[in-house]
Amino acid sequence: MRNKVIFGGFLIWILWSGVAKAIAPSDFADNLKINLDETIPSLEELREQFRPAPVYDRKYTYYWQIGTKFDREFAQTIRRYGSRDKRLKWAGEDELYGMIKNMDPKMYQYIGPYLHTVPGIPEKILNMPGIKETKNKFPTRIAPQVADIEDLEMMSPIFYFLLMPEAWADNSKNEEIKVPKKLPEPINKYNSKLIDDIAKIVTPQDYAPGAVVKNPIEKELRTINITENSPLTTPDIKAFVDTIDELNRFGEDIGVQVKLVEATGLLEAWENAQGNGSGVPGLRDMVHPCARLVQKMRLAGLDSDFRGIIAKQGFDEKEWAYTCDKTIKAYRMLNMSQTEVKAVKLYRKNVFGDMLATYDYKYGALIATTMQAIIEMYTAPLDDMLEVKKNYKALEDSFKESSQRIVIQSIYLK
């Protein structure tokens, strides 16, 4: 089972790196929203609801209390399963088949040899054209970074994906566009009178490089009743930054981390059971890391300590979450490379819409939701970006010191 989990995670990475879907990503924007006013069941209720059901009732708790009476029901169960010809189907088998079927066949050489070593993989998968031929075969497309390693053929098949050239960032051809030093001469000459008239209204000395910009007074004050759409101000950002260190010290406790990790799994399981989950683990954490952290703190019973920390800077839970998420989104946008800008633009325009018409709706929806998550991660108003730019150095230093995390939440992907 552990091998199946590892392999499943690898397949998701392969699919995400090589495909897109014939569905508009914006169709799944609602899958990524977080409602901080939503009532979530208690931790005990969710533990009970999602407790794994045992395959067989052992009728004992600990092996030293196993008893001395032979269990005839167990004996009958063993005989029945041992004598049947039909193989028991494991959960996720059909999904695994569909994912492999939709992969680029050139990837088969990196996963096929490993599939043939995993117990319980159905014959339907092992006999797929392209997979069947990879049994006991070593990949032929090898990344140059590892090609010269001695006895590379002795590597375990579970690591064959590391041999794939696409797995190494150095092999990516996404290069930054060089900006020409000298701009071409404009074809249409400007109207000098128009420029003179503009200069009278917008005086160059007030807006030239190095000029002191006069900010509206509201930009110098804390925001009252912060909402999801209220603009950021410099005092808001500074107050948020002042909460990061203490929150991370609170999150260093291993007991706190264990509770939050458990809350993460139960929260996503509950959302999926309600039918309003994102479908892809961790997407909401990427888009709204701070609002998600607030939900986890509440579910884990840590919200009292959490409120005590952020209240020192005048925040309640929702105000802190909104300020934090808006700041992080603006910070991400200020750090976007040209490659990232291009990717987001392509997702927004849905240029991949016709590329995946052959994919099942289920997988297409997951990929489209992931695309929309990237769009949401890099969406921020211009005013917020300008305020974050004023405080960029303080934010950058704080994020570096915290290893790009707030407690267990990753706040910036780079």
Side-chain angles (χ1 to χ4, degrees):
M1 180 58 67
R2 176 178 174 272
N3 287 340
K4 293 173 183 175
V5 171
I6 295 174
F7 182 67
F10 168 57
L11 276 182
I12 290 174
W13 178 81
I14 289 288
L15 279 171
W16 165 238
S17 64
V19 298
K21 180 60 186 171
I23 302 173
S26 57
D27 294 342
F28 299 89
D30 289 344
N31 293 24
L32 302 167
K33 292 181 179 178
I34 291 180
N35 180 9
L36 290 177
D37 294 320
E38 182 178 30
T39 301
I40 301 174
S42 67
L43 189 65
E44 290 72 22
E45 291 177 285
L46 294 182
R47 281 173 177 167
E48 185 63 30
Q49 181 178 350
F50 298 106
R51 190 187 307 276
V55 177
Y56 169 74
D57 183 7
R58 298 177 299 180
K59 300 183 177 64
Y60 68 90
T61 304
Y62 303 104
Y63 69 87
W64 58 83
Q65 296 175 341
I66 200 169
T68 57
K69 187 177 179 180
F70 184 72
D71 191 340
R72 297 187 179 279
E73 180 184 349
F74 176 76
Q76 293 172 359
T77 301
I78 291 299
R79 290 195 196 98
R80 184 164 60 250
Y81 281 116
S83 60
R84 66 191 297 173
D85 296 328
K86 185 177 180 181
R87 185 182 63 86
L88 294 178
K89 192 173 183 179
W90 47 271
E93 185 174 303
D94 292 337
E95 286 78 4
L96 176 61
Y97 176 78
M99 292 169 70
I100 296 175
K101 184 179 178 181
N102 289 328
M103 284 176 60
D104 189 335
K106 73 178 182 181
M107 302 294 183
Y108 286 176
Q109 59 183 301
Y110 305 105
I111 65 169
Y114 174 59
L115 281 173
H116 285 283
T117 67
V118 178
I121 297 294
E123 294 295 324
K124 178 174 67 173
I125 292 178
L126 297 180
N127 290 325
M128 290 176 63
I131 294 293
K132 183 177 181 180
E133 293 77 9
T134 61
K135 185 176 182 179
N136 299 325
K137 294 289 183 64
F138 190 75
T140 56
R141 289 177 66 249
I142 307 296
Q145 289 84 350
V146 296
D148 297 331
I149 296 179
E150 188 176 356
D151 298 327
L152 188 62
E153 294 81 2
M154 304 301 293
M155 172 187 284
S156 170
I158 194 173
F159 296 118
Y160 280 1
F161 70 94
L162 295 174
L163 304 177
M164 188 168 47
E166 292 80 4
W168 298 80
D170 295 342
N171 299 329
S172 175
K173 296 182 180 180
N174 294 326
E175 298 179 355
E176 295 287 333
I177 299 176
K178 295 182 178 179
V179 179
K181 295 182 179 179
K182 185 177 181 181
L183 297 176
E185 189 72 19
I187 298 175
N188 298 321
K189 300 292 183 179
Y190 63 84
N191 186 332
S192 59
K193 184 179 182 304
L194 175 63
I195 299 299
D196 292 338
D197 292 341
I198 293 176
K200 293 176 182 178
I201 302 172
V202 184
T203 53
Q205 60 267 26
D206 290 337
Y207 296 92
V212 178
V213 180
K214 299 177 182 178
N215 291 326
I217 186 63
E218 58 267 20
K219 293 296 185 181
E220 304 300 327
L221 303 174
R222 289 290 299 272
T223 304
I224 300 175
N225 297 326
I226 298 173
T227 66
E228 208 167 355
N229 300 314
S230 58
L232 285 174
T233 70
T234 289
D236 292 336
I237 295 171
K238 289 181 177 178
F240 156 64
V241 171
D242 289 341
T243 66
I244 296 177
D245 285 346
E246 188 170 357
L247 284 174
N248 283 333
R249 287 196 297 272
F250 172 67
E252 289 174 357
D253 184 275
I254 188 65
V256 170
Q257 295 177 18
V258 169
K259 289 180 180 179
L260 290 175
V261 169
E262 180 188 24
T264 299
L266 291 176
L267 184 58
E268 291 200 343
W270 178 73
E271 288 174 340
N272 291 333
Q274 296 293 110
N276 62 354
S278 67
V280 180
L283 278 192
R284 282 179 170 153
D285 294 59
M286 291 167 53
V287 178
H288 308 288
C290 308
R292 200 60 163 172
L293 180 61
V294 168
Q295 286 186 312
K296 294 177 184 180
M297 288 285 186
R298 291 173 177 175
L299 184 57
L302 302 169
D303 49 325
S304 178
D305 294 317
F306 176 73
R307 287 196 301 268
I309 294 173
I310 62 176
K312 296 176 183 178
Q313 301 301 326
F315 289 114
D316 63 22
E317 291 174 318
K318 291 171 63 175
E319 291 177 337
W320 180 87
Y322 295 147
T323 302
C324 174
D325 281 336
K326 288 187 291 184
T327 302
I328 288 172
K329 287 186 178 183
Y331 179 79
R332 287 170 178 162
M333 290 197 68
L334 289 172
N335 284 276
M336 290 181 77
S337 65
Q338 292 187 23
T339 301
E340 290 166 333
V341 171
K342 288 180 181 178
V344 172
K345 282 186 174 181
L346 292 177
Y347 291 158
R348 285 185 184 278
K349 293 178 180 179
N350 195 30
V351 298
F352 301 110
D354 297 329
M355 292 179 59
L356 296 177
T358 58
Y359 281 76
D360 295 336
Y361 179 84
K362 178 178 180 180
Y363 302 119
L366 297 181
I367 298 169
T369 305
T370 305
M371 289 181 179
Q372 184 63 30
I374 302 299
I375 294 173
E376 300 288 344
M377 284 176 59
Y378 294 101
T379 300
L382 178 60
D383 285 346
D384 286 0
M385 293 175 62
L386 294 174
E387 287 303 306
V388 168
K389 189 173 183 180
K390 297 174 189 176
N391 301 276
Y392 185 85
K393 184 66 168 61
L395 282 166
E396 185 177 41
D397 292 344
S398 182
F399 288 164
K400 284 183 178 179
E401 189 174 342
S402 64
S403 300
Q404 308 291 355
R405 287 183 174 274
I406 299 181
V407 191
I408 68 168
Q409 293 292 103
S410 178
I411 57 179
Y412 186 56
L413 303 178
K414 195 66 176 175

